[in-house]
Amino acid sequence: MDHLPAALERAGNEESWAVADAISTVLKNSEELHSWRRHLLSACIKGLIAMYSSNKDGSKQEVERSMLLRLEELLCVVEEVDPDDWCNLVKTGLKYRYRDETFLKVLNIAIQLLYKKESSL
């Protein structure tokens, strides 16, 4: 469990997310769930950055779409993100996916969530 978020950060490691989902299910009523989700959110962001950097032409759209939907889901639950991770995701995403409708939609949702008046970001 401690090593899984690092494995999730690498591009092309979609199968490991099934394990992460299983762990999330086990932790459902646990105090550790929020911390686990924060780790997953960070891993999801770093995974997307790695995907965008290694797959500049966007040929793996379905994998990226599922990661973006996962990002949206985690952001809605966690509502906080590491500022460096966020900055790198926005910069890399806009550089390589500025025309991708799903990326732009999730980016808009994330901006609305993260930049509320109460937000520390």
Side-chain angles (χ1 to χ4, degrees), residues 102-114:
T102 307
F103 170 75
L104 294 173
K105 188 170 97 177
V106 172
L107 180 64
N108 185 35
I109 291 167
I111 288 170
Q112 291 176 24
L113 283 170
L114 296 174

Side-chain angles (χ1 to χ4, degrees), residues 26-60:
V26 169
L27 294 176
K28 187 174 184 180
N29 296 321
S30 170
E31 295 175 8
E32 296 178 54
L33 182 61
H34 187 72
S35 175
W36 174 247
R37 285 180 173 161
R38 280 198 344 252
H39 290 299
L40 290 181
L41 178 59
S42 179
C44 184
I45 289 172
K46 290 175 182 172
L48 278 166
I49 293 167
M51 246 187 268
Y52 292 158
S53 297
S54 67
N55 183 29
K56 295 178 172 117
D57 63 350
S59 61
K60 295 183 179 181

